[in-house]
Amino acid sequence: MMTRAPYRSPRGPAAVAALLALAAVGCSEAAEVVDDAKDGARKAARQRSVFSLDVGDCYNPNGKAEGEAYLVEVVPCEEAHQGEVVGEFAVEGGPKHPGDEKIVGIADERCAAEAQRYAPDTWALPAGVGLSHYTPTRESWATGDRAVSCTYTVEKGTFKGSLNTAKSFEPDQLTFLKGSNAVYETLWAHQPVTDDVEGALKDYKAQAEAVAAALGTHVEDLGGIDGTEVGKLRATLTKAAGQWEKAANAPDADAFYLAYDQAFTLIDPGETVAARKELGLATTVPAEDAGVWAS
């Protein structure tokens, strides 16, 4: 979340304190103090309001990555950093704040699409990188703020280099990634909030219907890509689509369970590795995905 805050100048009391510190130490310690002062001045000079973030900016949050943010430290992407802005858009709405839950829901959906345009192959992202966003607060909304900044960030550690890889892919690679990403996004976007399948059978069947549709589009698009392994994957996903359709149309919970178990197994990300290798894409299944299908 973000709130409006004035830009803080690197000059003033902090600079004076650094000068006083230099006078208080011996020559042997002066160089170290100077280096510390330079680092502090550089960091201060890099402070930017979250309102001024642009797509492609690499940055370090001031304080915790979650919660309300005022300023961030914008750094060259070649340096170690914790976040990168991968997209932005404006939320539509009148003078009344629509509520945090609604804005976050919009941001979750829109930022996923923005991030894929910026870095299409999520398997190639550095370990620990996840999608996040800065959204307007009630206070900033009242001042006319409608901007959402979509970011990839790490909770622990840092990463180097820009994640902007959109122009590095061939058409067939992008076609594959678009369809594959859509399948898994649909799966999790429609995941019921309860694990009581029988009690929420209607919701689980709705999920199955949505996944079947996403798979149908993906399978159709794969038909235009040459390659032995891509052809094998297409056959597997065709079977998967059939099982998801069975789950969506299951007359009762037992029939749903039988179809769902096979349907879920057939979209194991590990099944896509050979096709990815054939297409020259990343082939290491993200740990979080591997964990889900391993269980």
Side-chain angles (χ1 to χ4, degrees):
M1 308 290 288
M2 60 184 181
T3 55
R4 185 174 299 279
Y7 180 81
R8 297 180 181 178
S9 170
R11 302 184 182 278
V16 174
L19 290 174
L20 292 175
L22 280 175
V25 300
C27 294
S28 61
E29 301 176 13
E32 181 178 348
V33 175
V34 169
D35 289 341
D36 289 343
K38 287 181 178 179
D39 289 341
R42 182 172 62 249
K43 183 173 182 178
R46 289 174 169 178
Q47 297 301 300
R48 290 251 302 273
S49 165
V50 290
F51 287 92
S52 66
L53 283 173
D54 294 321
V55 175
D57 282 345
C58 294
Y59 69 94
N60 291 311
N62 288 332
K64 295 182 179 180
E66 296 183 358
E68 294 188 353
Y70 298 86
L71 300 173
V72 294
E73 178 195 10
V74 175
V75 303
C77 292
E78 293 73 22
E79 292 186 13
H81 53 277
Q82 294 173 269
E84 181 172 350
V85 182
V86 300
E88 60 184 6
F89 63 91
V91 178
E92 296 182 0
K96 183 179 180 181
H97 188 270
D100 292 336
E101 184 176 348
K102 183 174 182 178
I103 292 180
V104 169
I106 294 171
D108 284 343
E109 180 178 354
R110 291 282 300 275
C111 281
E114 295 289 336
Q116 284 183 24
R117 283 192 286 270
Y118 193 84
D121 192 354
T122 57
W123 286 27
L125 294 173
V129 168
L131 191 58
S132 186
H133 40 66
Y134 288 111
T135 59
T137 63
R138 292 181 182 276
E139 292 77 10
S140 67
W141 186 275
T143 68
D145 174 30
R146 301 292 186 272
V148 173
S149 294
C150 309
T151 71
Y152 267 133
T153 60
V154 289
E155 292 185 8
K156 296 181 180 179
T158 58
F159 60 96
K160 290 184 178 181
S162 174
L163 303 178
N164 187 0
T165 56
K167 294 182 180 180
S168 65
F169 294 99
E170 299 294 330
D172 283 352
Q173 293 175 316
L174 288 173
T175 296
F176 176 91
L177 292 170
K178 180 181 178 181
S180 181
N181 289 339
V183 168
Y184 296 105
E185 281 177 10
T186 301
L187 174 69
W188 301 125
H190 290 80
Q191 181 72 17
V193 296
T194 175
D195 60 1
D196 179 8
V197 177
E198 295 181 20
L201 185 59
K202 181 179 179 181
D203 293 334
Y204 275 93
K205 290 174 68 174
Q207 179 197 38
E209 182 177 7
V211 174
L215 277 167
T217 300
H218 188 30
V219 166
E220 182 178 353
D221 290 343
L222 289 179
I225 301 177
D226 293 330
T228 301
E229 297 301 333
V230 171
K232 292 179 180 178
L233 176 62
R234 186 169 184 264
T236 298
L237 295 182
T238 298
K239 294 179 182 178
Q243 291 300 318
W244 283 104
E245 288 177 3
K246 285 184 178 180
N249 297 311
D252 53 45
D254 288 345
F256 175 86
Y257 280 124
L258 290 174
Y260 184 85
D261 182 62
Q262 295 183 56
F264 199 82
T265 299
L266 287 168
I267 61 168
D268 182 339
E271 296 288 338
T272 70
V273 170
R276 279 177 158 272
K277 183 176 181 180
E278 187 173 62
L279 289 170
L281 299 169
T283 57
T284 300
V285 181
E288 58 271 23
D289 290 336
V292 169
W293 269 266
S295 62

